[in-house]
Amino acid sequence: MSIRHLLVVLTGIMITFGCSALCFSTWGMFQPVVAESLGVPTTAFAMYVTVMYLTMTVASPFAGKLLQSMDIRILLSVSVALVGCAFLLMSFSNTIVLFYVAAVMLGLGEITILWLAIPTLINRWFVERAGFFIGLCMAFTGIGGAIWNAVFTALITNGFDFHTLYLIWGVIALVTGLPFTLFCVRNSPEDCGLAPYGASMQTSADGATAAKPSGLSAKFVMKTPMFYAICVFAGLINIAILIAMQFPTYTKSLTDVAFDVVVVGGVMSTVMMVGQAIFKVVLGAAADKNAKGALIFAFTAGVVGILLCWLCTFSDMLMYVGAFIFGGCYATAVVLVPVVCRQSFGTREYSVIYSRVSTVFNLIAAFAAMIWAWIGSSFGFTVAFIVALVMLVVILLLGFYIFGQAAKYKKDWTTE
C-alpha cells in the first residue's frame, strides 16, 4: 500500500463528499424554496432530477468506453467541472428551463463521478479489499449529505436565497473535486511504476510485473443470460431500496399513533441515511470475503427493516431501528452491485460492462420514486411493503443464480 493507493481512495472520498452528495442528497431541500421563488409547481422542479437520471442512462455506455480508453484524470476533471458549472448556472437561473439544462450537465458529470469512475479506479488499484474501499468512498455521499443539508438549513435561516446557495454549492464542488482529480489519480498503478494492492506478480524478461487484468470480454458477456440477470438484479435493487424515500409520506398516513408523524418521518429518513453510510463500509468489507454472504446480509437487513417500520407503529423507537437496519439494504446499490459485477465478469473490460449495467440501473432510478408514490397513494402502504418484500426475495434468488453462473464462466476468463 503506497501513498498513491491512498490518494486514489482520498480522491474517491472527496468527489463523493462534494460533487455527488451536493447533487443527490440536497435537491429535496431546494425543491420547495426554488419552486416558490420561481412560481412553479414542485413537480416541475422535481422533473429536473428525472432529466438528470435519463441523461445518465443515455451517457452511461459512452462514459464506460471513455473510461476504458482515455486518461481518467481528464475525464474526471471535466466531470467535476460540469457539476460545478451546473450549480453555477442554477445560481443565476430565473426560469425552470435553465434547471433542465443544468440537469443534463449534472447527469453527464455524475455518471462518471459516482457510478463508474470509483468502481473502475478502485478495481484497477486494488485486487484485495476493493469492496471495502468502494464502500468507504460511497459512504461519503451519506456523510456529505448530512453535512450539506445542515449547512443549507443554517444558511437559509440566515436569509440566503437559493441563488447564493447554488453559487456556494458550485464553489464547493469545484474546490473539493478538481485538486484531487488533477493531481492525485492516475489511470493505473502501472503508470506510477506500482502494482495493484494485493496483485499477484508475473515474471518476464523485463522483470516482475503485475499480472494483467483477467476476465470476460464485453462482447462475450453481452450474449450471456447472466448479463441480463445482473441488469434485472441491479434494477430491482434500485426500485426496492427507494421505498425508503417514502418513509415521511408513510408516517403521515398513520392514524391513532402516539407520536408526531411528521417528526418521526423526518427522523426515520435521517437515521436511514446514517445507517446506509455505515453499512456501505461494512457491506464492502464483507463482500471482499464472501459476496454471497454479503447479499444474504443485505436481504436480511431489508426484510427486518421493512417489517419493523411496517408492523411496529406502536413504538417510534422501533421504527427508527427499522429505518437504520434498512440502511444495510440501501447500501447494496452502489457497493454490492459493482462487487458482484467484478466477481462475475473480472476486470478485463470491467468499465465497459459495468457501464451497460448502470444504463439499466439509472433508467429505472428515473421512475422508481414515482412507482412507490403511485403504489402508496393508490393501494396503501401495506401493499407497498408487501411488494418490497417480494422484490427482495426475487433479488436474492437472482443473486444466487448469478453466483452459480459466474462460477461456470470462471474457466473462460482471459487477459486479452
Side-chain angles (χ1 to χ4, degrees):
M1 183 81 72
S2 71
I3 188 65
R4 281 289 186 181
H5 292 83
L6 296 176
L7 286 174
V8 168
V9 176
L10 179 60
T11 301
I13 287 172
M14 292 306 299
I15 59 178
T16 53
F17 175 74
C19 289
S20 296
L22 290 168
C23 180
F24 293 106
S25 300
T26 67
W27 69 266
M29 303 289 283
F30 279 98
Q31 180 171 282
V33 177
V34 175
E36 181 181 358
S37 179
L38 298 183
V40 299
T42 55
T43 52
F45 176 84
M47 182 60 67
Y48 108 85
V49 180
T50 300
V51 172
M52 179 178 66
Y53 272 105
L54 291 176
T55 301
M56 289 192 290
T57 299
V58 174
S60 184
F62 302 102
K65 289 182 178 179
L66 289 174
L67 276 170
Q68 195 81 0
S69 60
M70 72 178 292
D71 189 335
I72 201 166
R73 286 180 297 173
I74 298 174
L75 194 57
L76 269 178
S77 298
V78 169
S79 298
V80 169
L82 279 169
V83 172
C85 290
F87 286 130
L88 295 178
L89 174 61
M90 289 189 280
S91 74
F92 62 82
S93 297
N94 288 311
T95 171
I96 196 65
V97 174
L98 289 180
F99 277 84
Y100 299 152
V101 175
V104 173
M105 297 168 64
L106 288 173
L108 292 174
E110 289 294 347
I111 188 58
T112 301
I113 292 172
L114 183 64
W115 300 111
L116 301 180
I118 290 175
T120 298
L121 265 177
I122 296 298
N123 281 320
R124 286 179 185 175
W125 281 80
F126 296 88
V127 172
E128 294 181 1
R129 304 188 71 192
F132 168 77
F133 286 116
I134 290 174
L136 179 63
C137 293
M138 295 300 187
F140 278 81
T141 56
I143 294 170
I147 292 173
W148 303 131
N149 281 332
V151 171
F152 176 95
T153 302
L155 293 177
I156 205 75
T157 54
N158 279 284
F160 287 78
D161 64 3
F162 81 85
H163 294 98
T164 306
L165 287 171
Y166 274 127
L167 177 62
I168 295 171
W169 261 219
V171 173
I172 292 173
L174 295 172
V175 169
T176 57
L178 285 179
F180 298 92
T181 60
L182 287 172
F183 304 114
C184 294
V185 295
R186 295 292 186 274
N187 272 340
S188 66
E190 289 80 6
D191 292 345
C192 307
L194 301 169
Y197 176 73
S200 59
M201 307 299 288
Q202 61 186 15
T203 304
S204 66
D206 298 324
T209 59
K212 292 182 179 179
S214 177
L216 301 172
S217 71
K219 184 177 181 181
F220 175 82
V221 165
M222 304 303 170
K223 298 177 181 178
T224 64
M226 179 173 63
F227 170 74
Y228 296 99
I230 207 167
C231 285
V232 176
F233 172 78
L236 286 178
I237 284 175
N238 207 35
I239 296 177
I241 64 172
L242 286 180
I243 194 173
M245 297 297 102
Q246 297 300 313
F247 285 165
T249 305
Y250 161 61
T251 58
K252 287 181 182 178
S253 71
L254 298 175
T255 57
D256 300 323
V257 291
F259 49 76
D260 187 321
V261 293
V262 175
V263 171
V264 170
V267 174
M268 284 176 70
S269 294
T270 302
V271 168
M272 195 281 297
M273 289 291 286
V274 173
Q276 59 102 353
I278 294 171
F279 283 117
K280 280 175 182 176
V281 181
V282 174
L283 200 64
D288 285 332
K289 304 295 184 182
N290 187 329
K292 185 181 290 188
L295 173 62
I296 294 171
F297 169 82
F299 166 79
T300 305
V303 171
V304 172
I306 285 175
L307 290 177
L308 286 173
C309 293
W310 176 21
L311 302 177
C312 295
T313 55
F314 56 86
S315 169
D316 56 344
M317 290 306 299
L318 285 177
M319 294 179 73
Y320 296 154
V321 172
F324 178 83
I325 292 174
F326 190 80
C329 182
Y330 199 95
T332 56
V334 291
V335 176
L336 190 60
V337 172
V339 171
V340 170
C341 283
R342 171 186 170 142
Q343 295 192 7
S344 300
F345 307 128
T347 56
R348 177 182 161 190
E349 294 188 352
Y350 174 85
S351 61
V352 175
I353 297 170
Y354 186 60
S355 70
R356 304 296 172 84
V357 176
S358 181
T359 298
V360 177
F361 197 91
N362 286 301
L363 178 62
I364 291 174
F367 304 101
M370 290 186 288
I371 291 172
W372 286 121
W374 172 72
I375 294 175
S377 60
S378 301
F379 304 102
F381 280 96
T382 295
V383 173
F385 286 131
I386 291 173
V387 170
L389 291 171
V390 171
M391 282 186 182
L392 289 175
V393 173
V394 174
I395 289 166
L396 183 67
L397 295 176
L398 278 172
F400 287 160
Y401 169 78
I402 291 164
F403 288 125
Q405 292 297 302
K408 295 179 182 178
Y409 285 115
K410 196 72 177 281
K411 61 181 174 54
D412 297 319
W413 284 24
T414 61
T415 58
E416 56 181 47

